[in-house]
Amino acid sequence: MLFKKRKAKPNTNRRSLITMLSPKSPVSEQYRTVRTNIQFSAVDKEMRSILVTSSGPGEGKSTTVSNLAVVFANQGKKVLLVDSDLRKPTAHYTFDVSNMNGLTNVLTKSSSLEDAVSPTKEPNLYVLASGPIPPNPAELLGSKAMDEFIHDAYKVYDVILFDTPPILAVADAQILSNHVDGTILVVYSGETEMEAAGKAKELLQAAKAKLLGAVLNHKKLQDSQYYYYYGGK
């Protein structure tokens, strides 16, 4: 395996939403910087659908995508956060919403998008939980139904953010990456190995994903935790 096995961390739920709990903090400001860089990453096409993944587990992808969703909503954009980690979903814990109805229900046509989406305490931010765990996550994410879902979501939401499983663990992120406008790779400072990050990049490029850059988290500078965004390939 190319990634280190890290001890399980306690479920911090809403405590991971620093952009809601401490919007003026340096970390929140860095999330806004990431948002700005994303918006400037495409000159000719607006980035409306963005996938967030990591090379391995425990590197902060779910925390990153959740906080990005908040700062996009802060701009007044109508944002949908989609928990497309159909193996280990967490968005329903983070935003305290139901997971009885979600993405899998929409993709299998057992629910409408409108009925499956949950509002959050953050204005303009909505969450589509994973829904029941399916036996075939990769097939669902790569299906025609996913294209239809994204097409329908564009009619209602300005920005759609996808949380996906680690790319070295399963093929889900690789499969979904060419359905969206751009992809961000999250790496954990001092933990993610260069070989693992390089392999993750290669897999995304092989899938013809538009890799926007990487978010390096838990990099300590001047006794504070900052999140940095590095654009480009």
Side-chain angles (χ1 to χ4, degrees):
M1 297 177 72
L2 291 176
F3 47 83
K4 297 178 181 178
K5 200 166 187 178
R6 194 174 294 112
K7 290 182 180 180
K9 298 176 183 176
N11 186 352
T12 56
N13 294 341
R14 287 179 54 79
R15 283 180 291 169
S16 64
L17 289 173
I18 191 168
T19 48
M20 288 179 65
L21 299 176
S22 185
K24 294 184 180 180
S25 69
V27 175
S28 295
E29 181 58 35
Q30 290 304 317
Y31 277 117
R32 288 189 284 272
T33 298
V34 174
R35 178 193 66 194
T36 300
N37 288 342
I38 291 171
Q39 292 171 327
F40 281 107
S41 63
V43 177
D44 299 322
K45 181 180 179 181
E46 183 181 7
M47 286 288 157
R48 295 192 61 195
S49 54
I50 302 160
L51 179 151
V52 178
T53 189
S54 59
S55 60
E59 294 179 346
K61 64 174 181 63
S62 296
T63 297
T64 298
V65 73
S66 297
N67 282 285
L68 282 177
V70 172
V71 295
F72 270 108
N74 289 162
Q75 279 190 322
K77 295 182 181 296
K78 193 172 183 180
V79 179
L80 178 64
L81 172 60
V82 182
D83 194 342
S84 48
D85 188 339
L86 302 183
R87 301 169 192 269
K88 194 176 179 181
T90 60
H92 59 293
Y93 294 124
T94 303
F95 289 94
D96 193 22
V97 299
S98 172
N99 197 32
M100 295 293 291
N101 194 11
L103 178 61
T104 54
N105 302 91
V106 175
L107 296 180
T108 56
K109 311 297 185 184
S110 61
S111 175
S112 67
L113 175 59
E114 182 180 6
D115 289 340
V117 167
S118 299
T120 70
K121 294 179 180 179
E122 181 67 30
N124 302 315
L125 177 55
Y126 300 81
V127 170
L128 179 61
S130 69
I133 303 298
N136 57 339
E139 290 179 25
L140 273 181
L141 295 177
S143 66
K144 183 179 179 182
M146 174 56 76
D147 286 326
E148 294 173 355
F149 157 70
I150 294 176
H151 180 265
D152 291 341
Y154 278 154
K155 298 176 183 177
V156 182
Y157 301 95
D158 301 312
V159 178
I160 309 166
L161 296 168
F162 292 86
D163 183 10
T164 63
I167 193 166
L168 297 188
V170 290
D172 300 15
Q174 195 176 4
I175 290 170
L176 186 55
S177 64
N178 57 23
H179 290 255
V180 299
D181 294 334
T183 296
I184 292 173
L185 182 66
V186 175
V187 294
Y188 194 105
S189 179
E191 294 284 348
T192 303
E193 296 182 353
M194 290 185 66
E195 183 184 1
K199 181 62 176 177
K201 176 183 175 183
E202 290 173 7
L203 289 174
L204 289 169
Q205 290 175 329
K208 301 189 185 305
K210 180 176 177 54
L211 184 58
L212 303 179
V215 170
L216 175 64
N217 69 28
H218 287 268
K219 173 66 174 176
K220 288 190 177 182
L221 289 178
Q222 298 179 346
D223 298 322
S224 297
Q225 285 188 330
Y226 286 80
Y227 290 67
Y228 280 91
Y229 175 84
Y230 295 90
K233 300 179 181 179

